[in-house]
Structure formats: C-alpha cells, structure tokens
Amino acid sequence: MAASGVSAAKGGLGSTLRRDSWWVEILPVIVVLGGFGLYATLRAIEGKFYEWGPYLSPFYSPLIDANHRWWKWSPAILILGGPLSFRATCYYYRKAYYRAFFLDPPSCAVGEPKRSYSGETKFPFILQNLHRYALYLAIIFLAFLWKDAFHAFFFNGKFGMGVGTLVLLVNVCLLSIYTLSCHSLRHLAGGKLDCFSCATFGKPRFAAWRGLTFLNERHMLFAWVSLFSVGFADFYVRLVSSGAIQDVRIF
Ligand code: FES
C-alpha cells in the first residue's frame, strides 16, 4: 500500500492514482545497482590488477589459483558466487531490483506488467529462500576479508599503514555491519522466538536480538554504503596495481 494511501488504478504498467513522482525512487537503483553490476562483472573477468603489495581486491578474495595451474580464467570467477548470492537474495535488494528492473510492481500502488504471478514459489525465484545459507557463506567470506585487512598493515614484513590499508579496513567494517544487519541473522538470534525468558540462553539472545534489530532497522543504508565501499576498495586496488596512482604511506 502506498504511503499516499491510494491503490493502483486498474490498468496496465504504470497506471496509478498517485500524484507524486513515484518513479524518482527507482531511477537511482537502476543507475547505481546497474552500474555496479556492470563494473563488478567487467572487473571479475578482467583477471588482473587485483593486488599490490599487501593489498588484495575484495572482488578476488580469497585468491584461488592465481598462477593458473588448473583454472585458466580470472580467479574472481571462482568465488563470485559467494558474495553475489548474498546480495542477490538479500531482502532489501530483492525489493529494490524487483521494482527497478522487473517493474513488478514499479512502486507501491502502481500498476505492474500483466503476467501471471507466482511470487517466489517457482524456479528461479524460489532460490531466494536460500538467503540464510548465503548468509553463512558470506560470514566465511568476511573472515577472509578481515584477514586481508590485517595483512594490509604489513609492508615487506614491517608494520605500517597506507591509504589502501584504510580503504580495505573501512570496507570490511562496512561489509560486517551490512552482514550483521541481515534479516536472517536477526531471525536466527531471536526473531523467531515468542518468549525469550522461556528459551535457552534467553538473556544473551535478547541482548543480541536488540543489537541486531538496531542495525536491521538501517539495513537499506548499510546495503548501499557497503556496496559503494566494496566497489571503491576494488577500484582503489586497481588504480594502484595498474600504476595509475601511487599509494600514499601514512607511516
Ligand atoms: S536481508 Fe539483506 S543481507 Fe540478509
């Protein structure tokens, strides 16, 4: 139901009784999410400029078979499925891209294309229900990214810090907050419980649930800022690795 309290006018795609500029909401999603998808795809298949010194692009982490012993294509392709499945099945992104790319519906109380509707009960959209498992996978990937951020503090075995270190560190922090704000994680912590005091470990679960709820209420924000940060972290490593810019050492 639209915030304006009107329902979709009977009719086809785009028909509505709304008088506001409802389409403004989907334009940034088309541009930013579409642009990110394009950039990430090109970078994943590029297969070079993904590391420099102690820095490793998050698009290539964990780095597998970088010397092409048994995999002749870009190593990013081997690991792409993990982060991609997490983002693609995210409850927030689902809403965003169903509206922006499938126009299904384009916005609240706005007519959608006429077609039979099966929701997420049939292939391929039934796979969206695997989001909880994608979360488990994302946590494993996060562990590798934390390891990369830690590694980014060591230049030829000596402790130090460059701009790239900060870029990778901020990125993994934002990705961690995005993951912690996940609806599935909140559900696991306690969202599915009717009574905390009756449950095993009820008190710590209640505390965890409250903390995760605080983050979950801002999930959309973390979804976007972490998308920017992961794209920027890769872009920065690419610039330094290709020689387009020089990394600045802070100490
Ligand atoms: S709901 Fe968005 S990451 Fe889980």
Side-chain angles (χ1 to χ4, degrees), residues 125-202:
F125 296 111
I126 196 168
L127 296 177
Q128 305 279 31
N129 295 297
L130 295 176
H131 183 63
R132 179 189 296 189
Y133 302 99
L135 165 68
Y136 302 150
L137 206 54
I139 292 171
I140 297 172
F141 274 80
L142 262 187
F144 282 105
L145 292 175
W146 274 106
K147 181 179 97 33
D148 296 339
F150 178 75
H151 187 237
F153 280 95
F154 295 92
F155 296 80
N156 296 322
K158 287 206 180 91
F159 186 74
M161 183 190 273
V163 171
T165 313
L166 288 178
V167 169
L168 293 181
L169 187 62
V170 169
N171 176 50
V172 73
C173 287
L174 291 173
L175 287 174
S176 300
I177 296 171
Y178 168 58
T179 307
L180 285 171
S181 68
C182 170
H183 293 64
S184 291
L185 188 62
R186 178 177 174 271
H187 178 78
L188 275 178
K192 59 185 174 184
L193 293 179
D194 290 328
C195 170
F196 279 102
S197 58
C198 321
T200 321
F201 303 118

